[in-house]
mmCIF file of all heavy atoms in Angstrom:
data_model
loop_
_atom_site.group_PDB
_atom_site.id
_atom_site.type_symbol
_atom_site.label_atom_id
_atom_site.label_comp_id
_atom_site.label_asym_id
_atom_site.label_seq_id
_atom_site.Cartn_x
_atom_site.Cartn_y
_atom_site.Cartn_z
ATOM 1 N N ASP A 1123 133.348 37.568 153.582
ATOM 2 C CA ASP A 1123 132.024 37.097 153.991
ATOM 3 C C ASP A 1123 131.026 38.254 153.943
ATOM 4 O O ASP A 1123 131.182 39.254 154.654
ATOM 5 C CB ASP A 1123 132.121 36.532 155.413
ATOM 6 C CG ASP A 1123 130.808 35.949 155.917
ATOM 7 O OD1 ASP A 1123 129.769 36.134 155.258
ATOM 8 O OD2 ASP A 1123 130.822 35.306 156.973
ATOM 9 N N PRO A 1124 129.973 38.157 153.127
ATOM 10 C CA PRO A 1124 129.025 39.271 153.015
ATOM 11 C C PRO A 1124 128.245 39.531 154.295
ATOM 12 O O PRO A 1124 127.686 40.623 154.460
ATOM 13 C CB PRO A 1124 128.093 38.823 151.879
ATOM 14 C CG PRO A 1124 128.203 37.332 151.852
ATOM 15 C CD PRO A 1124 129.619 37.034 152.243
ATOM 16 N N ARG A 1125 128.178 38.571 155.192
ATOM 17 C CA ARG A 1125 127.463 38.778 156.459
ATOM 18 C C ARG A 1125 128.300 39.575 157.461
ATOM 19 O O ARG A 1125 127.759 40.114 158.418
ATOM 20 C CB ARG A 1125 127.080 37.437 157.082
ATOM 21 C CG ARG A 1125 125.966 36.720 156.351
ATOM 22 C CD ARG A 1125 125.387 35.607 157.206
ATOM 23 N NE ARG A 1125 124.329 34.930 156.505
ATOM 24 C CZ ARG A 1125 123.074 35.379 156.436
ATOM 25 N NH1 ARG A 1125 122.755 36.500 157.051
ATOM 26 N NH2 ARG A 1125 122.168 34.712 155.771
ATOM 27 N N LEU A 1126 129.613 39.607 157.255
ATOM 28 C CA LEU A 1126 130.498 40.249 158.225
ATOM 29 C C LEU A 1126 130.590 41.738 157.927
ATOM 30 O O LEU A 1126 131.233 42.163 156.965
ATOM 31 C CB LEU A 1126 131.878 39.597 158.180
ATOM 32 C CG LEU A 1126 132.844 39.982 159.302
ATOM 33 C CD1 LEU A 1126 132.287 39.542 160.653
ATOM 34 C CD2 LEU A 1126 134.206 39.347 159.071
ATOM 35 N N VAL A 1127 129.938 42.553 158.755
ATOM 36 C CA VAL A 1127 129.960 44.005 158.589
ATOM 37 C C VAL A 1127 131.248 44.577 159.155
ATOM 38 O O VAL A 1127 131.905 45.423 158.545
ATOM 39 C CB VAL A 1127 128.733 44.642 159.274
ATOM 40 C CG1 VAL A 1127 128.751 46.159 159.126
ATOM 41 C CG2 VAL A 1127 127.449 44.054 158.698
ATOM 42 N N ARG A 1128 131.629 44.116 160.333
ATOM 43 C CA ARG A 1128 132.912 44.475 160.950
ATOM 44 C C ARG A 1128 133.493 43.228 161.596
ATOM 45 O O ARG A 1128 132.789 42.502 162.289
ATOM 46 C CB ARG A 1128 132.750 45.576 162.004
ATOM 47 C CG ARG A 1128 132.527 46.961 161.434
ATOM 48 C CD ARG A 1128 132.514 48.005 162.543
ATOM 49 N NE ARG A 1128 132.394 49.344 162.012
ATOM 50 C CZ ARG A 1128 133.436 50.114 161.657
ATOM 51 N NH1 ARG A 1128 134.664 49.650 161.798
ATOM 52 N NH2 ARG A 1128 133.239 51.327 161.198
ATOM 53 N N GLY A 1129 134.785 42.996 161.395
ATOM 54 C CA GLY A 1129 135.413 41.814 161.956
ATOM 55 C C GLY A 1129 136.641 42.161 162.747
ATOM 56 O O GLY A 1129 136.609 43.026 163.640
ATOM 57 N N LEU A 1130 137.764 41.535 162.435
ATOM 58 C CA LEU A 1130 138.996 41.763 163.161
ATOM 59 C C LEU A 1130 139.420 43.221 163.092
ATOM 60 O O LEU A 1130 139.365 43.849 162.031
ATOM 61 C CB LEU A 1130 140.101 40.880 162.592
ATOM 62 C CG LEU A 1130 139.937 39.387 162.846
ATOM 63 C CD1 LEU A 1130 140.876 38.594 161.970
ATOM 64 C CD2 LEU A 1130 140.190 39.084 164.313
ATOM 65 N N GLY A 1131 139.823 43.759 164.244
ATOM 66 C CA GLY A 1131 140.272 45.145 164.300
ATOM 67 C C GLY A 1131 139.395 46.019 165.165
ATOM 68 O O GLY A 1131 139.819 47.089 165.603
ATOM 69 N N ASP A 1132 138.167 45.592 165.429
ATOM 70 C CA ASP A 1132 137.283 46.320 166.337
ATOM 71 C C ASP A 1132 137.123 45.522 167.636
ATOM 72 O O ASP A 1132 137.570 44.387 167.749
ATOM 73 C CB ASP A 1132 135.932 46.555 165.678
ATOM 74 C CG ASP A 1132 135.976 47.688 164.657
ATOM 75 O OD1 ASP A 1132 136.142 48.850 165.079
ATOM 76 O OD2 ASP A 1132 135.876 47.397 163.455
ATOM 77 N N ASP A 1133 136.461 46.136 168.599
ATOM 78 C CA ASP A 1133 136.270 45.466 169.888
ATOM 79 C C ASP A 1133 135.274 44.327 169.811
ATOM 80 O O ASP A 1133 135.257 43.454 170.676
ATOM 81 C CB ASP A 1133 135.811 46.474 170.945
ATOM 82 C CG ASP A 1133 136.929 47.437 171.328
ATOM 83 O OD1 ASP A 1133 138.071 46.975 171.511
ATOM 84 O OD2 ASP A 1133 136.667 48.648 171.421
ATOM 85 N N ALA A 1134 134.433 44.334 168.800
ATOM 86 C CA ALA A 1134 133.469 43.259 168.620
ATOM 87 C C ALA A 1134 133.157 43.140 167.128
ATOM 88 O O ALA A 1134 133.286 44.098 166.375
ATOM 89 C CB ALA A 1134 132.176 43.532 169.401
ATOM 90 N N ALA A 1135 132.755 41.938 166.740
ATOM 91 C CA ALA A 1135 132.352 41.709 165.355
ATOM 92 C C ALA A 1135 130.890 42.112 165.177
ATOM 93 O O ALA A 1135 130.081 42.006 166.101
ATOM 94 C CB ALA A 1135 132.538 40.245 164.983
ATOM 95 N N ILE A 1136 130.566 42.560 163.991
ATOM 96 C CA ILE A 1136 129.181 42.844 163.626
ATOM 97 C C ILE A 1136 128.836 41.920 162.467
ATOM 98 O O ILE A 1136 129.465 41.967 161.409
ATOM 99 C CB ILE A 1136 128.975 44.308 163.214
ATOM 100 C CG1 ILE A 1136 129.430 45.252 164.334
ATOM 101 C CG2 ILE A 1136 127.510 44.563 162.860
ATOM 102 C CD1 ILE A 1136 129.363 46.718 163.955
ATOM 103 N N VAL A 1137 127.835 41.056 162.694
ATOM 104 C CA VAL A 1137 127.445 40.069 161.694
ATOM 105 C C VAL A 1137 125.969 40.251 161.382
ATOM 106 O O VAL A 1137 125.140 40.378 162.291
ATOM 107 C CB VAL A 1137 127.701 38.631 162.207
ATOM 108 C CG1 VAL A 1137 127.224 37.603 161.185
ATOM 109 C CG2 VAL A 1137 129.185 38.424 162.495
ATOM 110 N N ARG A 1138 125.645 40.270 160.093
ATOM 111 C CA ARG A 1138 124.256 40.328 159.669
ATOM 112 C C ARG A 1138 123.663 38.932 159.817
ATOM 113 O O ARG A 1138 123.983 38.019 159.068
ATOM 114 C CB ARG A 1138 124.168 40.805 158.213
ATOM 115 C CG ARG A 1138 122.751 41.013 157.713
ATOM 116 C CD ARG A 1138 122.766 41.499 156.274
ATOM 117 N NE ARG A 1138 123.383 42.819 156.154
ATOM 118 C CZ ARG A 1138 124.576 43.028 155.599
ATOM 119 N NH1 ARG A 1138 125.287 42.008 155.141
ATOM 120 N NH2 ARG A 1138 125.070 44.248 155.513
ATOM 121 N N GLY A 1139 122.830 38.752 160.819
ATOM 122 C CA GLY A 1139 122.349 37.421 161.153
ATOM 123 C C GLY A 1139 121.031 37.066 160.492
ATOM 124 O O GLY A 1139 120.511 37.787 159.640
ATOM 125 N N ARG A 1140 120.505 35.919 160.898
ATOM 126 C CA ARG A 1140 119.207 35.458 160.466
ATOM 127 C C ARG A 1140 118.345 35.261 161.701
ATOM 128 O O ARG A 1140 118.694 35.711 162.792
ATOM 129 C CB ARG A 1140 119.353 34.168 159.652
ATOM 130 C CG ARG A 1140 119.907 34.416 158.255
ATOM 131 C CD ARG A 1140 120.496 33.174 157.625
ATOM 132 N NE ARG A 1140 119.499 32.123 157.424
ATOM 133 C CZ ARG A 1140 119.834 30.905 156.975
ATOM 134 N NH1 ARG A 1140 121.100 30.615 156.706
ATOM 135 N NH2 ARG A 1140 118.898 29.992 156.798
ATOM 136 N N ALA A 1141 117.243 34.594 161.571
ATOM 137 C CA ALA A 1141 116.258 34.574 162.650
ATOM 138 C C ALA A 1141 116.770 33.891 163.922
ATOM 139 O O ALA A 1141 116.525 34.352 165.025
ATOM 140 C CB ALA A 1141 114.978 33.901 162.168
ATOM 141 N N TYR A 1142 117.474 32.767 163.744
ATOM 142 C CA TYR A 1142 117.893 31.997 164.911
ATOM 143 C C TYR A 1142 119.387 31.701 164.813
ATOM 144 O O TYR A 1142 119.871 31.188 163.801
ATOM 145 C CB TYR A 1142 117.124 30.678 165.003
ATOM 146 C CG TYR A 1142 115.653 30.877 165.221
ATOM 147 C CD1 TYR A 1142 114.781 30.986 164.135
ATOM 148 C CD2 TYR A 1142 115.123 30.981 166.507
ATOM 149 C CE1 TYR A 1142 113.429 31.186 164.319
ATOM 150 C CE2 TYR A 1142 113.766 31.181 166.702
ATOM 151 C CZ TYR A 1142 112.923 31.282 165.604
ATOM 152 O OH TYR A 1142 111.580 31.483 165.803
ATOM 153 N N ALA A 1143 120.116 32.012 165.895
ATOM 154 C CA ALA A 1143 121.539 31.692 165.974
ATOM 155 C C ALA A 1143 121.701 30.328 166.632
ATOM 156 O O ALA A 1143 121.079 30.041 167.655
ATOM 157 C CB ALA A 1143 122.278 32.752 166.780
ATOM 158 N N VAL A 1144 122.537 29.493 166.036
ATOM 159 C CA VAL A 1144 122.830 28.158 166.569
ATOM 160 C C VAL A 1144 124.285 28.186 167.002
ATOM 161 O O VAL A 1144 125.186 28.265 166.160
ATOM 162 C CB VAL A 1144 122.596 27.072 165.500
ATOM 163 C CG1 VAL A 1144 122.702 25.685 166.120
ATOM 164 C CG2 VAL A 1144 121.259 27.259 164.813
ATOM 165 N N THR A 1145 124.543 28.145 168.301
ATOM 166 C CA THR A 1145 125.857 28.479 168.838
ATOM 167 C C THR A 1145 126.431 27.339 169.665
ATOM 168 O O THR A 1145 125.719 26.709 170.445
ATOM 169 C CB THR A 1145 125.758 29.742 169.720
ATOM 170 O OG1 THR A 1145 125.147 30.793 168.960
ATOM 171 C CG2 THR A 1145 127.127 30.193 170.191
ATOM 172 N N SER A 1146 127.717 27.097 169.491
ATOM 173 C CA SER A 1146 128.403 26.091 170.293
ATOM 174 C C SER A 1146 129.806 26.579 170.629
ATOM 175 O O SER A 1146 130.420 27.324 169.854
ATOM 176 C CB SER A 1146 128.487 24.754 169.538
ATOM 177 O OG SER A 1146 129.133 23.767 170.331
ATOM 178 N N VAL A 1147 130.305 26.172 171.772
ATOM 179 C CA VAL A 1147 131.669 26.491 172.200
ATOM 180 C C VAL A 1147 132.404 25.185 172.443
ATOM 181 O O VAL A 1147 131.878 24.276 173.096
ATOM 182 C CB VAL A 1147 131.675 27.333 173.491
ATOM 183 C CG1 VAL A 1147 133.102 27.646 173.910
ATOM 184 C CG2 VAL A 1147 130.885 28.609 173.310
ATOM 185 N N ASP A 1148 133.610 25.077 171.917
ATOM 186 C CA ASP A 1148 134.413 23.875 172.122
ATOM 187 C C ASP A 1148 135.840 24.298 172.443
ATOM 188 O O ASP A 1148 136.413 25.133 171.730
ATOM 189 C CB ASP A 1148 134.393 22.991 170.872
ATOM 190 C CG ASP A 1148 134.785 21.556 171.181
ATOM 191 O OD1 ASP A 1148 133.916 20.791 171.624
ATOM 192 O OD2 ASP A 1148 135.966 21.212 170.995
ATOM 193 N N THR A 1149 136.397 23.735 173.502
ATOM 194 C CA THR A 1149 137.721 24.126 173.975
ATOM 195 C C THR A 1149 138.646 22.927 174.013
ATOM 196 O O THR A 1149 138.257 21.850 174.485
ATOM 197 C CB THR A 1149 137.627 24.737 175.389
ATOM 198 O OG1 THR A 1149 136.769 25.890 175.349
ATOM 199 C CG2 THR A 1149 138.997 25.158 175.907
ATOM 200 N N MET A 1150 139.857 23.104 173.512
ATOM 201 C CA MET A 1150 140.880 22.065 173.592
ATOM 202 C C MET A 1150 142.076 22.608 174.366
ATOM 203 O O MET A 1150 142.555 23.714 174.100
ATOM 204 C CB MET A 1150 141.299 21.606 172.195
ATOM 205 C CG MET A 1150 140.192 20.878 171.460
ATOM 206 S SD MET A 1150 140.771 19.950 170.027
ATOM 207 C CE MET A 1150 139.214 19.211 169.486
ATOM 208 N N VAL A 1151 142.531 21.809 175.337
ATOM 209 C CA VAL A 1151 143.554 22.233 176.274
ATOM 210 C C VAL A 1151 144.752 21.297 176.177
ATOM 211 O O VAL A 1151 144.597 20.067 176.171
ATOM 212 C CB VAL A 1151 143.004 22.223 177.724
ATOM 213 C CG1 VAL A 1151 144.075 22.643 178.725
ATOM 214 C CG2 VAL A 1151 141.781 23.130 177.833
ATOM 215 N N GLU A 1152 145.921 21.886 176.114
ATOM 216 C CA GLU A 1152 147.148 21.094 176.077
ATOM 217 C C GLU A 1152 147.241 20.199 177.320
ATOM 218 O O GLU A 1152 146.984 20.640 178.441
ATOM 219 C CB GLU A 1152 148.356 22.028 176.025
ATOM 220 C CG GLU A 1152 149.695 21.327 175.958
ATOM 221 C CD GLU A 1152 150.865 22.288 175.949
ATOM 222 O OE1 GLU A 1152 150.646 23.516 175.930
ATOM 223 O OE2 GLU A 1152 152.014 21.804 175.969
ATOM 224 N N GLY A 1153 147.569 18.931 177.098
ATOM 225 C CA GLY A 1153 147.667 17.971 178.192
ATOM 226 C C GLY A 1153 146.375 17.231 178.458
ATOM 227 O O GLY A 1153 146.379 16.207 179.139
ATOM 228 N N VAL A 1154 145.255 17.746 177.915
ATOM 229 C CA VAL A 1154 143.959 17.075 178.043
ATOM 230 C C VAL A 1154 143.506 16.547 176.682
ATOM 231 O O VAL A 1154 143.178 15.372 176.533
ATOM 232 C CB VAL A 1154 142.888 18.023 178.621
ATOM 233 C CG1 VAL A 1154 141.528 17.325 178.706
ATOM 234 C CG2 VAL A 1154 143.309 18.516 180.001
ATOM 235 N N HIS A 1155 143.498 17.425 175.683
ATOM 236 C CA HIS A 1155 143.021 17.062 174.345
ATOM 237 C C HIS A 1155 144.140 16.823 173.345
ATOM 238 O O HIS A 1155 143.903 16.239 172.282
ATOM 239 C CB HIS A 1155 142.111 18.159 173.800
ATOM 240 C CG HIS A 1155 140.914 18.443 174.650
ATOM 241 N ND1 HIS A 1155 140.930 19.387 175.644
ATOM 242 C CD2 HIS A 1155 139.677 17.893 174.663
ATOM 243 C CE1 HIS A 1155 139.744 19.419 176.238
ATOM 244 N NE2 HIS A 1155 138.965 18.518 175.670
ATOM 245 N N PHE A 1156 145.330 17.273 173.647
ATOM 246 C CA PHE A 1156 146.464 17.103 172.736
ATOM 247 C C PHE A 1156 147.754 17.378 173.491
ATOM 248 O O PHE A 1156 147.738 17.926 174.598
ATOM 249 C CB PHE A 1156 146.358 18.058 171.539
ATOM 250 C CG PHE A 1156 146.414 19.520 171.933
ATOM 251 C CD1 PHE A 1156 147.634 20.174 172.063
ATOM 252 C CD2 PHE A 1156 145.258 20.232 172.177
ATOM 253 C CE1 PHE A 1156 147.693 21.519 172.444
ATOM 254 C CE2 PHE A 1156 145.304 21.567 172.562
ATOM 255 C CZ PHE A 1156 146.524 22.205 172.699
ATOM 256 N N ARG A 1157 148.860 16.995 172.866
ATOM 257 C CA ARG A 1157 150.188 17.306 173.376
ATOM 258 C C ARG A 1157 151.015 17.900 172.247
ATOM 259 O O ARG A 1157 151.061 17.352 171.150
ATOM 260 C CB ARG A 1157 150.867 16.051 173.944
ATOM 261 C CG ARG A 1157 150.214 15.587 175.239
ATOM 262 C CD ARG A 1157 150.710 14.231 175.720
ATOM 263 N NE ARG A 1157 150.150 13.903 177.019
ATOM 264 C CZ ARG A 1157 148.899 13.488 177.230
ATOM 265 N NH1 ARG A 1157 148.073 13.355 176.199
ATOM 266 N NH2 ARG A 1157 148.461 13.223 178.439
ATOM 267 N N ARG A 1158 151.639 19.026 172.533
ATOM 268 C CA ARG A 1158 152.338 19.756 171.479
ATOM 269 C C ARG A 1158 153.470 18.947 170.862
ATOM 270 O O ARG A 1158 153.803 19.145 169.689
ATOM 271 C CB ARG A 1158 152.870 21.077 172.020
ATOM 272 C CG ARG A 1158 151.774 22.113 172.225
ATOM 273 C CD ARG A 1158 152.246 23.267 173.072
ATOM 274 N NE ARG A 1158 153.362 23.980 172.468
ATOM 275 C CZ ARG A 1158 154.173 24.775 173.156
ATOM 276 N NH1 ARG A 1158 154.004 24.928 174.463
ATOM 277 N NH2 ARG A 1158 155.146 25.397 172.545
ATOM 278 N N GLY A 1159 154.054 18.045 171.612
ATOM 279 C CA GLY A 1159 155.132 17.236 171.069
ATOM 280 C C GLY A 1159 154.666 16.178 170.089
ATOM 281 O O GLY A 1159 155.475 15.591 169.368
ATOM 282 N N GLN A 1160 153.357 15.932 170.037
ATOM 283 C CA GLN A 1160 152.810 14.881 169.178
ATOM 284 C C GLN A 1160 152.126 15.420 167.932
ATOM 285 O O GLN A 1160 151.957 14.687 166.954
ATOM 286 C CB GLN A 1160 151.816 14.036 169.987
ATOM 287 C CG GLN A 1160 152.452 13.287 171.136
ATOM 288 C CD GLN A 1160 151.434 12.605 172.024
ATOM 289 O OE1 GLN A 1160 150.230 12.865 171.908
ATOM 290 N NE2 GLN A 1160 151.898 11.753 172.921
ATOM 291 N N LEU A 1161 151.702 16.673 167.969
ATOM 292 C CA LEU A 1161 151.002 17.279 166.835
ATOM 293 C C LEU A 1161 151.706 18.569 166.434
ATOM 294 O O LEU A 1161 152.265 19.275 167.278
ATOM 295 C CB LEU A 1161 149.548 17.597 167.196
ATOM 296 C CG LEU A 1161 148.614 16.431 167.484
ATOM 297 C CD1 LEU A 1161 147.253 16.957 167.927
ATOM 298 C CD2 LEU A 1161 148.463 15.540 166.275
ATOM 299 N N SER A 1162 151.638 18.883 165.154
ATOM 300 C CA SER A 1162 152.160 20.164 164.694
ATOM 301 C C SER A 1162 151.174 21.266 165.067
ATOM 302 O O SER A 1162 149.997 21.002 165.361
ATOM 303 C CB SER A 1162 152.377 20.136 163.185
ATOM 304 O OG SER A 1162 151.135 19.986 162.504
ATOM 305 N N ALA A 1163 151.642 22.504 165.044
ATOM 306 C CA ALA A 1163 150.783 23.626 165.421
ATOM 307 C C ALA A 1163 149.581 23.749 164.490
ATOM 308 O O ALA A 1163 148.460 24.027 164.933
ATOM 309 C CB ALA A 1163 151.598 24.925 165.419
ATOM 310 N N ASP A 1164 149.781 23.546 163.189
ATOM 311 C CA ASP A 1164 148.644 23.665 162.275
ATOM 312 C C ASP A 1164 147.621 22.550 162.497
ATOM 313 O O ASP A 1164 146.417 22.760 162.332
ATOM 314 C CB ASP A 1164 149.114 23.712 160.821
ATOM 315 C CG ASP A 1164 149.775 22.430 160.374
ATOM 316 O OD1 ASP A 1164 150.696 21.966 161.061
ATOM 317 O OD2 ASP A 1164 149.374 21.896 159.328
ATOM 318 N N GLU A 1165 148.094 21.359 162.901
ATOM 319 C CA GLU A 1165 147.159 20.279 163.230
ATOM 320 C C GLU A 1165 146.334 20.626 164.461
ATOM 321 O O GLU A 1165 145.129 20.333 164.527
ATOM 322 C CB GLU A 1165 147.919 18.978 163.451
ATOM 323 C CG GLU A 1165 148.490 18.374 162.171
ATOM 324 C CD GLU A 1165 149.421 17.200 162.416
ATOM 325 O OE1 GLU A 1165 149.993 17.107 163.532
ATOM 326 O OE2 GLU A 1165 149.601 16.394 161.490
ATOM 327 N N ILE A 1166 146.952 21.272 165.447
ATOM 328 C CA ILE A 1166 146.227 21.666 166.656
ATOM 329 C C ILE A 1166 145.132 22.675 166.308
ATOM 330 O O ILE A 1166 143.981 22.572 166.779
ATOM 331 C CB ILE A 1166 147.197 22.248 167.696
ATOM 332 C CG1 ILE A 1166 148.133 21.147 168.217
ATOM 333 C CG2 ILE A 1166 146.442 22.901 168.861
ATOM 334 C CD1 ILE A 1166 149.293 21.658 169.053
ATOM 335 N N GLY A 1167 145.448 23.654 165.464
ATOM 336 C CA GLY A 1167 144.442 24.628 165.054
ATOM 337 C C GLY A 1167 143.310 23.990 164.274
ATOM 338 O O GLY A 1167 142.131 24.305 164.496
ATOM 339 N N HIS A 1168 143.654 23.068 163.368
ATOM 340 C CA HIS A 1168 142.641 22.352 162.589
ATOM 341 C C HIS A 1168 141.708 21.569 163.505
ATOM 342 O O HIS A 1168 140.482 21.658 163.377
ATOM 343 C CB HIS A 1168 143.346 21.421 161.616
ATOM 344 C CG HIS A 1168 142.432 20.541 160.820
ATOM 345 N ND1 HIS A 1168 142.316 20.620 159.455
ATOM 346 C CD2 HIS A 1168 141.570 19.545 161.202
ATOM 347 C CE1 HIS A 1168 141.442 19.724 159.024
ATOM 348 N NE2 HIS A 1168 140.976 19.057 160.073
ATOM 349 N N ARG A 1169 142.271 20.793 164.419
ATOM 350 C CA ARG A 1169 141.467 19.938 165.292
ATOM 351 C C ARG A 1169 140.495 20.761 166.137
ATOM 352 O O ARG A 1169 139.345 20.367 166.362
ATOM 353 C CB ARG A 1169 142.356 19.123 166.240
ATOM 354 C CG ARG A 1169 143.086 17.976 165.597
ATOM 355 C CD ARG A 1169 143.879 17.187 166.632
ATOM 356 N NE ARG A 1169 143.077 16.183 167.276
ATOM 357 C CZ ARG A 1169 142.738 16.185 168.567
ATOM 358 N NH1 ARG A 1169 143.126 17.158 169.351
ATOM 359 N NH2 ARG A 1169 142.011 15.205 169.058
#
């Protein structure tokens, strides 16, 4: 990614941004949003 100046391996990422950041956080918790016995691990990451 050309915007990524520093990524994994440092304490924080450095990203070359634009004027306005549009940010959202979404959390999925076992027993609330999914059950490990019903979905594969890669499906959980995808979802």
Side-chain angles (χ1 to χ4, degrees):
D1123 183 350
R1125 288 195 180 278
L1126 191 63
V1127 179
R1128 285 186 176 271
L1130 291 166
D1132 283 291
D1133 289 317
I1136 303 175
V1137 177
R1138 185 179 295 109
R1140 286 160 63 185
Y1142 296 90
V1144 188
T1145 306
S1146 181
V1147 180
D1148 200 83
T1149 301
M1150 293 196 178
V1151 179
E1152 181 182 357
V1154 178
H1155 301 91
F1156 63 87
R1157 290 171 174 76
R1158 286 166 61 199
Q1160 296 173 348
L1161 294 176
S1162 65
D1164 65 308
E1165 289 171 336
I1166 292 169
H1168 176 116
R1169 286 183 86 246

